[in-house]
Each structure stands twice: as C-alpha cells, then as structure tokens.
Amino acid sequence: MVMIKTGEKDLDSGEKIRMSLVPFNHKAHEGYNNTCRVCHHQEMKKCSECHTLGGSNAAKGVSLELAMHKKDADHSCVGCHATQYTKNKNCAGCHQSTPTTAKMSNRSCEVCHIPLPKGVKLSDNTAQLLLEGRPEKPATYTQEEIPEKIVIGKLSKKYESVEFPHRKIVNKITENMGDNKLAQYFHAEKGTTCSGCHHNAPLTKQPSGCNSCHTQAFNDKDMHKPGIVGAYHLQCMECHTTMKIDKVGCKDCHKEKSPQSSALQKRGNE
C-alpha cells in the first residue's frame, strides 16, 4: 500500500500541498487488472513524472489532476471507477441515470483524499492504517427515518395516484451493494445512496422533491432538465432497464381511474 502524491512536492519537504495524499492499495489493484499498462500506460513510471501539475509536453498537456480525474479515460482513477459502476447492473440503475451535470461535493473528494488525523505523520504503514479505517458497509438511515411510501399524483387526472414503495427500494439498493468495496467506500455517508434519485439535493434525511427542480412544463432552455412527468419516467424506467428488472407497463404503476372516482374528482374541482 502506498500514498499517492497530489503534487510534485512531498509533505516532508515542508511545502503545503492543496489536497491530502491518497492512500492506495496497489496490490489489490494488480489483481483487478490483467496488465500494469492499464494504469502505467506507457512506461513503468510514477504518474507525476509525466503528468506534472501544469501538464508537460511528454504527457501531451494532460495535468496530474486531469490524469487522475478524467471521467471518460480508462487510465484515470475516476474514469476506471465510472466504467466499473456503469457495467455492474446493481450500480447502473443510479449511476447511468444521474445527469452529467451533477456536481461532486467536497465530501466526495475526501473519500480518496483522506486527511491525516491530527498528530499523525507519514510513515510506511500510513496508507494501510487509513484504508483500514474506511467503513465496512454502506451507511444509510434507520428504517424509521426512511419513509415507507411516497404518494405521487402528477398524473392523477387520468390515473390514480402512485404509491411509490420508497423504503423497499432504498433497502434493495443497499442490499445490492453487498460486499462491493467500491460501493462501501463511496457510500460511507448517510444520504449518499439517496443521491441516486435526489441527484442535485444536499445529503440530508429529508432531501427536496423532484418538483423543486423539475417544473411542470418542459424547459426548452435547459435540455438537461426535463419536466416533472418526464423526470419521473426517466428516473424510474431507466433504473428498471439498466438494472435488468422486469419491464413494467403503465398500469403496473398507474391504476386507471374508475368512472366513479373520475366523476368525484371532477365534482370536487367544480
């Protein structure tokens, strides 16, 4: 296990480095890949020898930060992880549906860039100690804190309101993470799992609802933000598709209104 530098200087030099170093289980990653060239794609060198802070000619201008965080590059840490959780059907339900505009928080950075505890200095076993301190299972709220059902009534003119089995779905997503270490590390904070659906809401026990961002009408000035009906269907149906859950039709979620209930609603609106 090693500590990956986040700059050209080491902490021992007295130079202040903006981000905390990254503890990295090199041996485990050797087993995840068929060849060292998955990461060391040209020569067996440290990343920082080619990928400098400013981006050298040897690395075609790709800086160290970009080399580690480029989402669409298999050689980068973030890109490789993204490939893994979009291929895994248990992860893809949330990760393929999350808009590309969603931003990572500072807390996301600290999953990898773990600050050294106060008074702790770098040593040969620092990386191991930091990695062993990571959670062993995804964190989530208690059953009492997770709403059992949520009633969605945006299509209630034609159909009955939908009873969304909220707690059941949250429990299933958490169960599907199982012993996946990648999921354990990146879902270490309560509310992280919720962000699969509440993708732009703060990590809180009561995140804002879909209609706080997705207005009733379609917004032709922001193509990444569908209207409320489109948002519901994209989120639910894409999740079912990518997680290979049985396909559902309209009436599996929306019970059609009886003539009697339609008449009662019409009378109540008069």
Side-chain angles (χ1 to χ4, degrees):
M1 297 188 186
V2 298
M3 296 292 287
I4 298 178
K5 297 179 180 180
T6 56
E8 296 163 337
K9 301 289 184 180
D10 201 337
L11 287 177
D12 296 333
S13 68
E15 294 282 344
K16 185 177 181 180
I17 298 177
R18 184 177 61 176
M19 294 295 295
S20 301
L21 275 67
V22 177
F24 180 70
N25 191 332
H26 192 279
K27 185 173 182 61
H29 282 76
E30 290 175 18
Y32 300 151
N33 300 291
N34 296 324
T35 171
C36 301
R37 291 191 178 276
V38 171
C39 299
H40 301 277
H41 47 99
Q42 290 186 345
E43 298 180 53
M44 295 296 292
K45 294 181 179 180
K46 294 180 180 179
C47 303
S48 57
E49 288 190 33
C50 292
H51 298 285
T52 60
L53 289 178
S56 66
N57 291 332
K60 298 181 180 179
V62 178
S63 66
L64 181 61
E65 184 275 334
L66 191 60
M68 298 295 187
H69 299 84
K70 201 169 189 301
K71 294 181 180 180
D72 57 352
D74 290 339
H75 296 308
S76 81
C77 302
V78 172
C80 183
H81 286 175
T83 300
Q84 296 305 312
Y85 59 59
T86 52
K87 283 184 177 180
N88 185 330
K89 71 180 181 67
N90 289 333
C91 307
C94 291
H95 287 281
Q96 285 197 1
S97 299
T98 302
T100 56
T101 53
K103 297 178 180 179
M104 295 177 68
S105 67
N106 291 336
R107 287 170 290 194
S108 301
C109 301
E110 290 182 0
V111 174
C112 297
H113 296 270
I114 303 176
L116 287 176
K118 190 174 182 179
V120 175
K121 294 184 178 181
L122 284 176
S123 63
D124 291 340
N125 66 341
T126 301
Q128 181 176 351
L129 290 173
L130 291 176
L131 290 175
E132 288 178 350
R134 283 174 159 174
E136 297 182 355
K137 62 179 182 179
T140 187
Y141 294 107
T142 65
Q143 293 298 290
E144 292 74 20
E145 292 173 319
I146 302 171
E148 182 180 3
K149 294 181 180 179
I150 294 176
V151 178
I152 302 173
K154 286 298 178 183
L155 292 176
S156 59
K157 289 182 180 180
K158 184 176 181 180
Y159 298 100
E160 297 287 353
S161 296
V162 174
E163 284 196 358
F164 181 69
H166 184 268
R167 186 186 297 164
K168 177 182 177 181
I169 290 174
V170 173
N171 289 342
K172 188 62 179 178
I173 291 172
T174 305
E175 176 190 330
N176 285 344
M177 292 181 196
D179 59 355
N180 186 315
K181 290 187 179 297
L182 194 62
Q184 291 169 3
Y185 295 161
F186 285 90
H187 296 79
E189 190 168 352
K190 289 183 179 181
T192 303
T193 302
C194 309
S195 62
C197 292
H198 301 275
H199 39 255
N200 282 320
L203 300 186
T204 175
K205 187 166 59 178
Q206 294 180 320
S208 52
C210 302
N211 58 1
S212 63
C213 292
H214 298 278
T215 54
Q216 189 74 24
F218 178 74
N219 185 357
D220 60 353
K221 294 181 180 179
D222 189 349
M223 300 301 288
H224 292 289
K225 187 185 292 184
I228 185 63
V229 174
Y232 281 134
H233 287 81
L234 281 171
Q235 197 81 347
C236 298
M237 295 172 72
E238 282 191 9
C239 182
H240 275 243
T241 300
T242 54
M243 294 185 75
K244 303 186 186 305
I245 301 172
D246 292 340
K247 292 184 178 180
V248 294
C250 299
K251 294 182 182 179
D252 291 308
C253 296
H254 303 277
K255 293 181 180 179
E256 199 161 10
K257 282 194 170 183
S258 65
Q260 292 84 357
S261 60
S262 297
L264 285 173
Q265 184 183 34
K266 183 178 180 181
R267 189 178 304 167
N269 293 333
E270 291 176 350

PDB file of all heavy atoms in Angstrom, residues 212-228:
ATOM      1  N   SER A 212     -39.049  20.350  -7.012  1.00  0.00           N
ATOM      2  CA  SER A 212     -38.340  21.565  -6.618  1.00  0.00           C
ATOM      3  C   SER A 212     -37.403  22.036  -7.732  1.00  0.00           C
ATOM      4  O   SER A 212     -37.044  23.209  -7.786  1.00  0.00           O
ATOM      5  CB  SER A 212     -37.537  21.326  -5.337  1.00  0.00           C
ATOM      6  OG  SER A 212     -36.537  20.355  -5.554  1.00  0.00           O
ATOM      7  N   CYS A 213     -36.999  21.123  -8.609  1.00  0.00           N
ATOM      8  CA  CYS A 213     -36.146  21.480  -9.764  1.00  0.00           C
ATOM      9  C   CYS A 213     -36.890  21.290 -11.082  1.00  0.00           C
ATOM     10  O   CYS A 213     -36.757  22.096 -11.995  1.00  0.00           O
ATOM     11  CB  CYS A 213     -34.877  20.628  -9.775  1.00  0.00           C
ATOM     12  SG  CYS A 213     -33.725  20.948  -8.433  1.00  0.00           S
ATOM     13  N   HIS A 214     -37.619  20.190 -11.183  1.00  0.00           N
ATOM     14  CA  HIS A 214     -38.317  19.864 -12.426  1.00  0.00           C
ATOM     15  C   HIS A 214     -39.714  20.472 -12.382  1.00  0.00           C
ATOM     16  O   HIS A 214     -40.608  19.963 -11.714  1.00  0.00           O
ATOM     17  CB  HIS A 214     -38.385  18.349 -12.615  1.00  0.00           C
ATOM     18  CG  HIS A 214     -37.036  17.713 -12.720  1.00  0.00           C
ATOM     19  ND1 HIS A 214     -36.317  17.675 -13.886  1.00  0.00           N
ATOM     20  CD2 HIS A 214     -36.270  17.110 -11.775  1.00  0.00           C
ATOM     21  CE1 HIS A 214     -35.168  17.054 -13.670  1.00  0.00           C
ATOM     22  NE2 HIS A 214     -35.114  16.710 -12.406  1.00  0.00           N
ATOM     23  N   THR A 215     -39.874  21.555 -13.092  1.00  0.00           N
ATOM     24  CA  THR A 215     -41.162  22.239 -13.096  1.00  0.00           C
ATOM     25  C   THR A 215     -42.176  21.473 -13.934  1.00  0.00           C
ATOM     26  O   THR A 215     -41.844  20.516 -14.624  1.00  0.00           O
ATOM     27  CB  THR A 215     -41.003  23.660 -13.657  1.00  0.00           C
ATOM     28  OG1 THR A 215     -40.383  23.580 -14.945  1.00  0.00           O
ATOM     29  CG2 THR A 215     -40.125  24.507 -12.744  1.00  0.00           C
ATOM     30  N   GLN A 216     -43.409  21.918 -13.867  1.00  0.00           N
ATOM     31  CA  GLN A 216     -44.493  21.210 -14.554  1.00  0.00           C
ATOM     32  C   GLN A 216     -44.281  21.152 -16.061  1.00  0.00           C
ATOM     33  O   GLN A 216     -44.485  20.143 -16.692  1.00  0.00           O
ATOM     34  CB  GLN A 216     -45.820  21.916 -14.252  1.00  0.00           C
ATOM     35  CG  GLN A 216     -47.049  21.154 -14.736  1.00  0.00           C
ATOM     36  CD  GLN A 216     -47.348  19.942 -13.882  1.00  0.00           C
ATOM     37  OE1 GLN A 216     -46.964  19.886 -12.721  1.00  0.00           O
ATOM     38  NE2 GLN A 216     -48.034  18.959 -14.445  1.00  0.00           N
ATOM     39  N   ALA A 217     -43.832  22.246 -16.630  1.00  0.00           N
ATOM     40  CA  ALA A 217     -43.671  22.316 -18.088  1.00  0.00           C
ATOM     41  C   ALA A 217     -42.247  21.970 -18.500  1.00  0.00           C
ATOM     42  O   ALA A 217     -41.304  22.097 -17.727  1.00  0.00           O
ATOM     43  CB  ALA A 217     -44.015  23.722 -18.572  1.00  0.00           C
ATOM     44  N   PHE A 218     -42.089  21.542 -19.730  1.00  0.00           N
ATOM     45  CA  PHE A 218     -40.778  21.251 -20.293  1.00  0.00           C
ATOM     46  C   PHE A 218     -40.010  22.555 -20.506  1.00  0.00           C
ATOM     47  O   PHE A 218     -40.555  23.538 -20.983  1.00  0.00           O
ATOM     48  CB  PHE A 218     -40.949  20.517 -21.629  1.00  0.00           C
ATOM     49  CG  PHE A 218     -39.638  20.222 -22.320  1.00  0.00           C
ATOM     50  CD1 PHE A 218     -38.815  19.226 -21.853  1.00  0.00           C
ATOM     51  CD2 PHE A 218     -39.254  20.952 -23.430  1.00  0.00           C
ATOM     52  CE1 PHE A 218     -37.619  18.952 -22.484  1.00  0.00           C
ATOM     53  CE2 PHE A 218     -38.064  20.676 -24.074  1.00  0.00           C
ATOM     54  CZ  PHE A 218     -37.249  19.673 -23.600  1.00  0.00           C
ATOM     55  N   ASN A 219     -38.734  22.570 -20.138  1.00  0.00           N
ATOM     56  CA  ASN A 219     -37.905  23.764 -20.251  1.00  0.00           C
ATOM     57  C   ASN A 219     -37.004  23.644 -21.473  1.00  0.00           C
ATOM     58  O   ASN A 219     -35.988  22.952 -21.449  1.00  0.00           O
ATOM     59  CB  ASN A 219     -37.069  23.941 -18.972  1.00  0.00           C
ATOM     60  CG  ASN A 219     -36.283  25.230 -18.970  1.00  0.00           C
ATOM     61  OD1 ASN A 219     -36.309  25.987 -19.937  1.00  0.00           O
ATOM     62  ND2 ASN A 219     -35.575  25.481 -17.883  1.00  0.00           N
ATOM     63  N   ASP A 220     -37.365  24.326 -22.570  1.00  0.00           N
ATOM     64  CA  ASP A 220     -36.589  24.209 -23.799  1.00  0.00           C
ATOM     65  C   ASP A 220     -35.255  24.955 -23.727  1.00  0.00           C
ATOM     66  O   ASP A 220     -34.413  24.831 -24.613  1.00  0.00           O
ATOM     67  CB  ASP A 220     -37.400  24.711 -25.010  1.00  0.00           C
ATOM     68  CG  ASP A 220     -37.815  26.169 -24.865  1.00  0.00           C
ATOM     69  OD1 ASP A 220     -37.594  26.748 -23.784  1.00  0.00           O
ATOM     70  OD2 ASP A 220     -38.371  26.716 -25.838  1.00  0.00           O
ATOM     71  N   LYS A 221     -35.033  25.714 -22.644  1.00  0.00           N
ATOM     72  CA  LYS A 221     -33.762  26.422 -22.478  1.00  0.00           C
ATOM     73  C   LYS A 221     -32.748  25.598 -21.681  1.00  0.00           C
ATOM     74  O   LYS A 221     -31.598  25.986 -21.562  1.00  0.00           O
ATOM     75  CB  LYS A 221     -34.008  27.761 -21.774  1.00  0.00           C
ATOM     76  CG  LYS A 221     -34.834  28.730 -22.605  1.00  0.00           C
ATOM     77  CD  LYS A 221     -35.018  30.052 -21.876  1.00  0.00           C
ATOM     78  CE  LYS A 221     -35.848  31.013 -22.732  1.00  0.00           C
ATOM     79  NZ  LYS A 221     -36.061  32.315 -22.033  1.00  0.00           N
ATOM     80  N   ASP A 222     -33.187  24.497 -21.130  1.00  0.00           N
ATOM     81  CA  ASP A 222     -32.290  23.612 -20.385  1.00  0.00           C
ATOM     82  C   ASP A 222     -32.646  22.172 -20.731  1.00  0.00           C
ATOM     83  O   ASP A 222     -33.503  21.554 -20.107  1.00  0.00           O
ATOM     84  CB  ASP A 222     -32.435  23.857 -18.880  1.00  0.00           C
ATOM     85  CG  ASP A 222     -31.374  23.115 -18.070  1.00  0.00           C
ATOM     86  OD1 ASP A 222     -30.679  22.267 -18.651  1.00  0.00           O
ATOM     87  OD2 ASP A 222     -31.250  23.402 -16.870  1.00  0.00           O
ATOM     88  N   MET A 223     -31.959  21.623 -21.723  1.00  0.00           N
ATOM     89  CA  MET A 223     -32.282  20.292 -22.226  1.00  0.00           C
ATOM     90  C   MET A 223     -31.910  19.183 -21.248  1.00  0.00           C
ATOM     91  O   MET A 223     -32.295  18.032 -21.416  1.00  0.00           O
ATOM     92  CB  MET A 223     -31.568  20.058 -23.561  1.00  0.00           C
ATOM     93  CG  MET A 223     -31.950  21.059 -24.650  1.00  0.00           C
ATOM     94  SD  MET A 223     -33.727  21.044 -25.020  1.00  0.00           S
ATOM     95  CE  MET A 223     -33.872  19.492 -25.888  1.00  0.00           C
ATOM     96  N   HIS A 224     -31.114  19.524 -20.217  1.00  0.00           N
ATOM     97  CA  HIS A 224     -30.754  18.526 -19.211  1.00  0.00           C
ATOM     98  C   HIS A 224     -31.787  18.449 -18.091  1.00  0.00           C
ATOM     99  O   HIS A 224     -31.628  17.663 -17.163  1.00  0.00           O
ATOM    100  CB  HIS A 224     -29.379  18.859 -18.611  1.00  0.00           C
ATOM    101  CG  HIS A 224     -28.248  18.712 -19.577  1.00  0.00           C
ATOM    102  ND1 HIS A 224     -27.814  17.490 -20.027  1.00  0.00           N
ATOM    103  CD2 HIS A 224     -27.471  19.643 -20.197  1.00  0.00           C
ATOM    104  CE1 HIS A 224     -26.812  17.658 -20.865  1.00  0.00           C
ATOM    105  NE2 HIS A 224     -26.588  18.953 -20.980  1.00  0.00           N
ATOM    106  N   LYS A 225     -32.821  19.285 -18.175  1.00  0.00           N
ATOM    107  CA  LYS A 225     -33.807  19.318 -17.099  1.00  0.00           C
ATOM    108  C   LYS A 225     -35.202  19.089 -17.674  1.00  0.00           C
ATOM    109  O   LYS A 225     -35.879  20.022 -18.081  1.00  0.00           O
ATOM    110  CB  LYS A 225     -33.747  20.645 -16.357  1.00  0.00           C
ATOM    111  CG  LYS A 225     -34.638  20.693 -15.116  1.00  0.00           C
ATOM    112  CD  LYS A 225     -34.639  22.076 -14.494  1.00  0.00           C
ATOM    113  CE  LYS A 225     -33.294  22.414 -13.891  1.00  0.00           C
ATOM    114  NZ  LYS A 225     -33.322  23.725 -13.190  1.00  0.00           N
ATOM    115  N   PRO A 226     -35.647  17.819 -17.721  1.00  0.00           N
ATOM    116  CA  PRO A 226     -36.995  17.545 -18.238  1.00  0.00           C
ATOM    117  C   PRO A 226     -38.064  18.054 -17.281  1.00  0.00           C
ATOM    118  O   PRO A 226     -37.792  18.359 -16.117  1.00  0.00           O
ATOM    119  CB  PRO A 226     -37.023  16.019 -18.339  1.00  0.00           C
ATOM    120  CG  PRO A 226     -36.030  15.565 -17.322  1.00  0.00           C
ATOM    121  CD  PRO A 226     -34.948  16.609 -17.306  1.00  0.00           C
ATOM    122  N   GLY A 227     -39.284  18.135 -17.780  1.00  0.00           N
ATOM    123  CA  GLY A 227     -40.407  18.493 -16.929  1.00  0.00           C
ATOM    124  C   GLY A 227     -40.658  17.414 -15.894  1.00  0.00           C
ATOM    125  O   GLY A 227     -40.045  16.335 -15.941  1.00  0.00           O
ATOM    126  N   ILE A 228     -41.565  17.659 -14.976  1.00  0.00           N
ATOM    127  CA  ILE A 228     -41.760  16.762 -13.850  1.00  0.00           C
ATOM    128  C   ILE A 228     -42.201  15.366 -14.283  1.00  0.00           C
ATOM    129  O   ILE A 228     -41.706  14.355 -13.768  1.00  0.00           O
ATOM    130  CB  ILE A 228     -42.764  17.369 -12.839  1.00  0.00           C
ATOM    131  CG1 ILE A 228     -42.869  16.483 -11.593  1.00  0.00           C
ATOM    132  CG2 ILE A 228     -44.126  17.611 -13.456  1.00  0.00           C
ATOM    133  CD1 ILE A 228     -41.594  16.365 -10.804  1.00  0.00           C
TER     134      ILE A 228
END
